[in-house]
Structures are given as structure tokens and as C-alpha cells.
């Protein structure tokens, strides 16, 4: 059923096109004064296309779920104080990495201020280093 409507619309468009061509042929055989009139007739013939199928309604837009906003991490300054001297944990971690000599995926640090030592396990490898509380 839909194909018969399309073919009927196609036939109607073809008939309009042939009549427009005939009008142009007649206009070219007439005097130059009528050429302007033929052009005005030709323009409406081209502007009248076959009827288009009714536009389908657009599907409602899908709304993407909102992603939770990334919360800013809280900056933490952590110090160990022993015997009146402060040592930054960031400094201890930096020195642990230097003592290890390579990057590690996981590092666990155990700090013993009374011994002035830091014991650490980096990727399963146990080591120790001195921490100066002077």
C-alpha cells in the first residue's frame, strides 16, 4: 500500500516535470519579450515539488544520567613529633622511595620514633631506614 502511494506521487512529479519542459520549449520559440515571462513561469514549476511524506515525530531525547561530581581531595599535612622535633610524613615517604631506588605499586611504612627508624614494605620487599628526630 505504501509503494502505490509513492509510485503515484512519483508519477505526479514526472507529469509536472514534463509540463514544465513543454512550457520552456514554447517560451524559447516565442519572441524575446516573452522570455522573461517564461522564466517566471519556470520558477514556480520548479518550486512546487511533490508532496513529502509527513515527518515522523522525533523520539524524545534520552537524558544521560548525571555523573557524581568529583570531590576535591582534602590536603593533609601529617607530622610526627618526638622529643620536641617534627618530621613530615611526606618527607619520610620521599626518603623511603629514595632508599628503595625504584617505583613501587604499594608501600607500607611503620615509623618508630623511639628508635629513629622507619620500617617499610614495598611490593613485598622489607627494608628499613633511619629517620632523624634531631
Amino acid at each position: 500500500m505504501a509503494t502505490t502511494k509513492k509510485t503515484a506521487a512519483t508519477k505526479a512529479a514526472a507529469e509536472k516535470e514534463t509540463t514544465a519542459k513543454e512550457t520552456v520549449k514554447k517560451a524559447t520559440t516565442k519572441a524575446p519579450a516573452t522570455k522573461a515571462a517564461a522564466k517566471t513561469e519556470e520558477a514556480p514549476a520548479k518550486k512546487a515539488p511533490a508532496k513529502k511524506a509527513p515527518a515522523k515525530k522525533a523520539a524524545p531525547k534520552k537524558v544521560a544520567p548525571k555523573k557524581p561530581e568529583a570531590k576535591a581531595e582534602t590536603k593533609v599535612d601529617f607530622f610526627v613529633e618526638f622529643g620536641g622535633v617534627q618530621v613530615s610524613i611526606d618527607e619520610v615517604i620521599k626518603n623511603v622511595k629514595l632508599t628503595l631506588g625504584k617505583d613501587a605499586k604499594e608501600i607500607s611504612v611503620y615509623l618508630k620514633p623511639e628508635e629513629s627508624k622507619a620500617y617499610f614494605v614495598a611490593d613485598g620487599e622489607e627494608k628499613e631506614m633511619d629517620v632523624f628526630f634531631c
Side-chain angles (χ1 to χ4, degrees):
M1 197 143 106
T3 54
T4 56
K5 287 183 180 179
K6 287 183 181 177
T7 54
T10 310
K11 286 180 183 178
E15 288 177 9
K16 286 182 181 180
E17 200 172 289
T18 54
T19 50
K21 287 180 182 178
E22 289 175 3
T23 307
V24 172
K25 285 182 183 178
K26 289 180 183 177
T28 54
T29 57
K30 291 184 180 178
T34 59
K35 283 185 179 181
K39 287 182 182 178
T40 57
E41 288 179 11
E42 183 179 322
K46 287 184 179 180
K47 287 184 181 178
K51 291 183 178 179
K52 294 182 181 179
K56 293 181 179 179
K57 292 183 179 179
K61 292 183 180 181
K62 293 182 179 178
V63 178
K66 293 183 180 180
K67 295 181 180 178
E69 293 181 20
K71 294 181 181 178
E73 290 189 31
T74 305
K75 183 181 176 191
V76 177
D77 292 327
F78 188 68
F79 296 92
V80 175
E81 190 170 320
F82 182 75
V85 179
Q86 285 185 348
V87 176
S88 169
I89 293 300
D90 292 332
E91 186 178 322
V92 172
I93 292 170
K94 182 178 103 179
N95 289 332
V96 164
K97 288 180 180 179
L98 288 173
T99 303
L100 183 61
K102 61 181 180 182
D103 280 338
K105 292 181 181 179
E106 184 178 341
I107 298 174
S108 299
V109 180
Y110 304 93
L111 193 59
K112 283 186 97 174
E114 59 274 356
E115 294 179 11
S116 295
K117 295 269 186 188
Y119 299 94
F120 61 94
V121 178
D123 292 335
E125 187 178 336
E126 296 178 13
K127 289 194 174 188
E128 65 180 61
M129 67 174 228
D130 290 328
V131 178
F132 299 103
F133 290 96
C134 329

